[in-house]
Each structure stands twice: as structure tokens, then as C-alpha cells.
Amino acid sequence: MSQVLVFAEFANGQLKKGTLELLSAARKSGLKIQALALGSGAKGLADQLGKEGVDQVFAADDAKLDQYNPELFAEVVSGVLTAQKPAVVLASSTMLARDLFPRVAAHMNVGVTSDCTELEISGSGDVKARRPMYSGKCTAEVAFENSPTKIVLMRPNQLSITPATAAKTPSVEAVSMPAKDLKTLVKEIVKGTSGKLDLTEANIIVSGGRGLKDAAGFKIVEDLANVLGATAGASRAIVDAGWVPHTMQVGQTGKTVAPTLYIAIGISGAIQHLAGMSGSKVIVAINKDANAPIFQKATYGIVGDAFEIVPALTEEFKKLLAH
Ligand SMILES: Cc1cc2nc3c(=O)[nH]c(=O)nc-3n(C[C@H](O)[C@H](O)[C@H](O)COP(=O)(O)OP(=O)(O)OC[C@H]3O[C@@H](n4cnc5c(N)ncnc54)[C@H](O)[C@@H]3O)c2cc1C
């Protein structure tokens, strides 16, 4: 029987939302579901994965996998996939997965597609996916030819989460670490200190642009983001100006995001910015220029001065969310 294998990502012992989305899509296919989890605590996910309808868990429960090492991860993942030969592999299109899975695909000589926004898996394990191209000006339908395993990386927040109808008790297979010597050693990964979800995984994003006048003006974006439990993002103009770090940039040369709610404040809506956020479900634009291109993409538009509107919105949300 064909199977679909989900690359299960987790934090603090809980499966990430993107993984729950992939598991919902996997269940729809009616295929046997496998999950692969890497790092300390991987074994402990079996119960959660069982509740999500997973039949078999591969757990590489080793602290060496707690931080990303491209060579080691590619060895471990390729080892499992080569042995299991799943028809489909699903992973969230995160920075890590976009680095890892092309390596795995090359190891296995199979196809990979990233940054997908739509997915269909047939009962026989065939895949049709769609992905935006040319800064979102068109979308491509992707099919695989002569690829016994098809690797699909889905943008988070694109697939809906449906509850599993029946829980399973999955078998848990321990994945051993490769014996071969590695050529690369990752000494340290320095993480951002915001404590907020990464932009690519965030459900709500509040972004600011040059309309905020200067670095101090960005505070109104952060205040609103804090009240909403959102992640703050930025246009390239203010990254280039040094107001905020590049990790916060949304767009063609920044991050591609697809939150449920994207609030763009003082951002004109240049094509390169839209390329990174037009997959958002609801877009709210706040701009004092009624002709700003962002309004053509916005679900809701507020024409006016951000310095009047945003603090007022923040206060209203504070009151609303206090109840
Ligand atoms: C190869 C290439 C790649 C690029 N990649 C990216 C990318 O990844 N991401 C990205 O964002 N850009 C990218 N850009 C840059 C892009 O073309 C734009 O220059 C940039 O997005 C503009 O940023 P902005 O909207 O903040 O600034 P502006 O275009 O200057 O817009 C500022 C907006 O703020 C409004 N405003 C002013 N004052 C107020 C106020 N008080 N209240 C409300 N609104 C106000 C103005 O009406 C205006 O619409 C790229 C460009 C190139 C050439």
C-alpha cells in the first residue's frame, strides 16, 4: 500500500500548527500515514501523532538533531525515506525544509516542489500541487513524472485543519544516527530574542513600512502586534534604512508569509512586497494615500494617518481582548 510521510515539526513537546495542517491533508488522501520527527522528545510525540491518525512514527530522538545541521539532517531523512519509499512526503515550507529537502531529493534522485499553496493527493499516491511564480503574478500547477517519491513543501496556513475521526496507536520505530563522519559541524545557532512565532508560521502579522517616518515610529506596529499576539513584519524600505533587521522583511527578497490576518501599515504595496504576502487570507491596509496599490489587494482598507489610526485600534483591541 502507498503511504504518505509527514515531516513532523514540534516545539515544547507540541506538534506545530503547520504539521497539523499537513496531517489533515494526509488523512484526506486515505493513504497509510507515517510521520518522521527529529530531535529530543521525538519519541514522546507518538500519542499526539496517533490522535492525528498516524499509523507509524519514525523517531530520531537524539540531541544531535536539536539544531539544524544540513548534512546530518539530510543523511537521517534520506535514510528513512529510502527504506520506506513513501509515495508522498509532506513538509511545511519553512527555511529549514527549503534547505533540507532539495538535498534529500538529490540524494534519492526524486522530485521536490516548495512553497506550494494548494495540494491534492489521490488515493494512488499521485500529487497535484500549485505554487505561485513570478512574484505571485501567476501560479503553476506542479505534477511529478518518474518520481517514485514526491516531496511537497506546503506554505503554512494554506491547508485547513480538520479533526481526525479515529485515533490510532502508531508503532514507533527508533531511527539510528548515521555512522559516517560528518564534514560539517554546526557550533551554534543564534536565535532571535523576540520570543514570537517566526513570520512564516504566524497566524497574525502586523507589518510596517516607510510611512512610519522613522525607527521610533515603528513602535506603533509593535504595540499593535503585542496586543494581538501577532508577529511584526516590515517592508524592505525600512529594513534597508536599518530600522529593523532583515529577518523581519516580507517580500520577494524577504519571507513569504500566509497568515490568516495581515495588517499593512504605511506600506505602499510594491509588487515585490505583495509577492511575499498576497497569500494572506485577510489583508487590512492602513495608508494615507487612497491610491496606494496595497488597497487593490486589501480585503479592508483604512485611508488615513497611521499615527492616529493605529494607536486607536490598539486601544480598542486591548479593551476587546481584556474580556
Ligand atoms: C529586486 C527587488 C527586490 C525587492 N524586494 C522587496 C521585498 O522583499 N520586500 C519589500 O517590501 N520590498 C522589496 N523591494 C522594494 C519595493 O520595490 C519597495 O521599494 C518597498 O516595498 C517600499 O516599501 P514601503 O512600502 O515601506 O515604502 P514606500 O513605497 O515609500 O511607501 C510608504 C507608504 O506609506 C504611506 N504613508 C506615508 N505616511 C503615512 C502615514 N502617516 N500614515 C499612513 N500611511 C502613510 C505612503 O502613502 C506610502 O504608500 C524590492 C525591490 C527590488 C528592486
Side-chain angles (χ1 to χ4, degrees):
M1 184 188 176
S2 304
Q3 69 269 30
V4 47
L5 183 144
V6 171
F7 183 67
E9 293 188 70
F10 60 100
N12 305 320
Q14 296 299 313
L15 292 171
K16 289 196 173 180
K17 183 169 170 275
T19 298
L20 298 177
E21 292 166 5
L22 300 174
L23 289 165
S24 297
R27 282 196 300 274
K28 255 197 219 160
S29 72
L31 299 172
K32 175 180 169 185
I33 306 177
Q34 300 175 315
L36 168 61
L38 311 184
S40 305
K43 266 193 290 195
L45 297 171
D47 271 1
Q48 277 178 68
L49 288 164
K51 284 187 188 130
E52 294 296 326
V54 172
D55 299 279
Q56 196 175 19
V57 176
F58 295 90
D61 199 323
D62 192 304
K64 288 195 202 79
L65 296 163
D66 287 349
Q67 60 181 21
Y68 182 53
N69 175 324
E71 192 189 356
L72 178 60
F73 272 51
E75 279 290 328
V76 173
V77 174
S78 308
V80 173
L81 298 191
T82 306
Q84 294 303 314
K85 301 185 178 55
V88 185
V89 174
L90 299 178
S92 294
S93 199
T94 57
M95 291 294 212
L96 184 152
R98 279 189 286 164
D99 188 75
L100 169 63
F101 281 99
R103 295 168 194 272
V104 172
H107 261 270
M108 298 176 66
N109 197 23
V110 299
V112 58
T113 181
S114 61
D115 208 22
C116 295
T117 51
E118 291 173 41
L119 172 70
E120 261 177 57
I121 307 172
S122 76
S124 56
D126 281 330
V127 168
K128 261 194 215 159
R130 292 195 82 88
R131 64 192 301 272
M133 291 178 69
Y134 302 116
S135 304
K137 288 197 195 74
C138 63
T139 57
E141 185 174 303
V142 184
F144 291 81
E145 270 184 8
N146 303 323
S147 186
T149 292
K150 302 146 197 93
I151 304 178
V152 182
L153 311 186
M154 290 296 303
R155 272 191 201 175
N157 297 324
Q158 296 295 307
L159 300 167
S160 47
I161 297 178
T162 52
T165 46
K168 298 200 168 153
T169 310
S171 60
V172 181
E173 322 280 335
V175 177
S176 47
M177 297 294 279
K180 92 178 213 196
D181 284 341
L182 296 174
K183 296 189 197 76
T184 49
L185 170 72
V186 176
K187 287 193 160 170
E188 189 188 7
I189 291 181
V190 182
K191 291 202 167 158
T193 50
S194 75
K196 290 277 166 62
L197 271 182
D198 186 78
L199 281 170
T200 54
E201 293 173 39
N203 202 28
I204 306 179
I205 294 174
V206 184
S207 277
R210 191 149 42 195
L212 297 167
K213 291 195 175 64
D214 53 29
F218 193 74
K219 186 167 181 304
I220 61 170
V221 168
E222 285 169 333
D223 288 347
L224 180 56
N226 284 339
V227 169
L228 293 176
T231 301
S235 73
R236 174 163 159 180
I238 72 167
V239 171
D240 287 353
W243 301 0
V244 295
H246 181 257
T247 47
M248 289 172 69
Q249 184 180 318
V250 173
Q252 188 183 320
T253 43
K255 290 184 178 164
T256 302
V257 301
T260 308
L261 173 62
Y262 187 91
I263 305 180
I265 303 172
I267 292 178
S268 58
I271 184 78
Q272 297 89 353
H273 188 80
L274 298 178
M277 47 62 80
S278 53
S280 310
K281 289 216 170 65
V282 174
I283 297 171
V284 176
I286 302 169
N287 196 304
K288 69 177 186 187
D289 174 7
N291 295 317
I294 189 82
F295 286 126
Q296 284 165 26
K297 280 279 170 198
T299 326
Y300 302 100
I302 305 175
V303 180
D305 185 346
F307 292 98
E308 286 171 21
I309 293 161
V310 177
L313 275 179
T314 305
E315 281 313 307
E316 284 306 312
F317 279 122
K318 248 189 219 162
K319 283 186 220 156
L320 208 67
L321 297 171
H323 297 300

